[in-house]
Amino acid sequence: MTYPLAHFIQLPELRLPSEILHIKPFGLSEAALDDATSVLLPNIILGKQGEFLFSETIKATTNFTLLAANIQVNDEKRTIGELDYIVKNCSSNQVFHVELACKFYLLKEDEHATIEGQWIGPNLKDTLLDKLQKFSESQFPLLRHPATKTILSGLGISENILQRYCVKAMLFVPETFSKKLPLHYQNCVKGIWIKHGDLILKPKATYGIPSKREWLLAPEKISTWYTSDAISETIKEQIALKKSPLIYENLEGCITVFFVVWWE
């Protein structure tokens, strides 16, 4: 399936204040490329799709160069980690170490005392707080490891490297949520989440239910649409498997997106 890189650039990018994460965001929206540029998206898992799309976007830009990607760091035959990307700004010649994440998070306020711990995956497996801790404790410190410096030197990459993160974050709030979110989170809100027992489908609407490997696609790329009765049965099947499906609702040409969750 062809995938327009402009769509990946336009996906919400989380820009956290320095008191939450001391590393600055990369700002993929600054990438300069032709809006018509597309790539063939491989049938791989969601996280790998994000990695592929980031690489292809940087390669297609006129203002950045991809120097290296997925650099595995070994210390005495033991793998200690991997650097996602080394990118150079073509105007300033500044080199960046960029760590990427593509995440779908739902706000579950009873999950943690901090809002970072309340943003959790649709199936309750990981949180934004987990990701930020991994950034701070392992992914970014890896750049300073002696083994990493040896690898980068061998690639001819300067030690003058700044670090940046790129988090493509699609955030969903509870159906009845009315509080004001901090702007850095509000800018990434894509829709709502609904408990299965509270779900009311509209008879006049049609519904799409993309597989997880299709979550990064634009709604117009969804090829199969269902009636409310048909989608109701499919949702029940997913809920029985303790999977929270992503749903597109098309009502008279207006498309909204939401998750239906299996948990209470």
Side-chain angles (χ1 to χ4, degrees):
M1 179 180 293
T2 57
Y3 189 103
L5 292 178
H7 179 70
F8 184 68
I9 291 175
Q10 292 162 7
L11 292 176
E13 191 169 335
L14 190 58
R15 296 171 178 266
L16 294 165
S18 58
E19 59 266 26
I20 296 176
L21 185 63
H22 67 282
I23 303 291
K24 293 181 179 179
F26 177 67
L28 191 62
S29 59
E30 298 172 10
L33 81 166
D34 189 324
D35 285 347
T37 305
S38 296
V39 294
L40 189 63
L41 186 64
N43 184 24
I44 51 180
I45 62 173
L46 182 70
K48 293 295 182 182
Q49 285 182 359
E51 292 176 8
F52 170 80
L53 290 169
F54 185 92
S55 292
E56 292 302 308
T57 299
I58 296 299
K59 290 176 187 177
T61 65
T62 57
N63 55 336
F64 290 106
T65 299
L66 182 65
L67 300 181
N70 307 120
I71 304 170
Q72 192 173 86
V73 180
N74 299 312
D75 185 23
E76 296 182 353
K77 298 182 180 180
R78 179 177 63 90
T79 301
I80 57 174
E82 184 178 276
L83 303 181
D84 281 355
Y85 307 98
I86 303 295
V87 176
K88 184 174 78 171
N89 183 302
C90 298
S91 298
S92 65
N93 286 324
Q94 178 62 56
V95 176
F96 298 96
H97 162 217
V98 183
E99 289 293 323
L100 173 75
C102 285
K103 295 291 186 177
F104 287 73
Y105 288 128
L106 282 56
L107 185 64
K108 190 172 184 290
E109 292 183 278
D110 61 355
E111 187 67 24
H112 196 269
T114 68
I115 190 169
E116 288 70 44
Q118 293 168 10
W119 291 114
I120 194 165
N123 295 314
L124 308 182
K125 291 183 178 178
D126 65 316
T127 67
L128 174 60
L129 183 61
D130 294 334
K131 183 71 246 183
L132 298 181
Q133 288 176 338
K134 188 175 180 182
F135 274 160
S136 298
E137 296 172 9
S138 61
Q139 290 179 271
F140 284 118
L142 182 62
L143 181 68
R144 309 304 173 197
H145 194 282
T148 305
K149 292 183 178 182
T150 300
I151 292 170
L152 295 179
S153 177
L155 294 173
I157 296 173
S158 164
E159 287 193 12
N160 180 28
I161 301 174
L162 298 180
Q163 295 187 300
R164 297 289 186 266
Y165 66 89
C166 180
V167 176
K168 290 293 187 179
M170 282 55 72
L171 305 182
F172 295 77
V173 297
E175 182 182 20
T176 56
F177 188 76
S178 59
K179 298 177 185 177
K180 187 175 182 180
L181 288 169
L183 189 60
H184 49 275
Y185 292 129
Q186 186 60 51
N187 289 340
C188 295
V189 172
K190 294 284 287 182
I192 62 172
W193 61 263
I194 305 170
K195 293 180 181 179
H196 183 232
D198 296 333
L199 178 64
I200 299 175
L201 299 170
K202 298 178 175 67
K204 292 184 178 180
T206 55
Y207 293 88
I209 182 168
S211 68
K212 190 170 182 179
R213 296 187 183 204
E214 297 174 317
W215 284 5
L216 294 179
L217 299 181
E220 56 267 23
K221 290 287 187 178
I222 303 301
S223 57
T224 305
W225 294 84
Y226 300 88
T227 65
S228 56
D229 288 341
I231 201 68
S232 178
E233 292 304 312
T234 304
I235 291 172
K236 285 179 184 177
E237 292 170 2
Q238 293 293 298
I239 296 299
L241 295 171
K242 292 191 175 181
K243 293 183 179 180
S244 299
L246 178 66
I247 304 294
Y248 287 110
E249 179 183 81
N250 187 337
L251 183 62
E252 298 178 347
C254 179
I255 297 177
T256 54
V257 58
F258 57 90
F259 273 95
V260 181
V261 304
W262 55 266
W263 34 267
E264 292 296 328

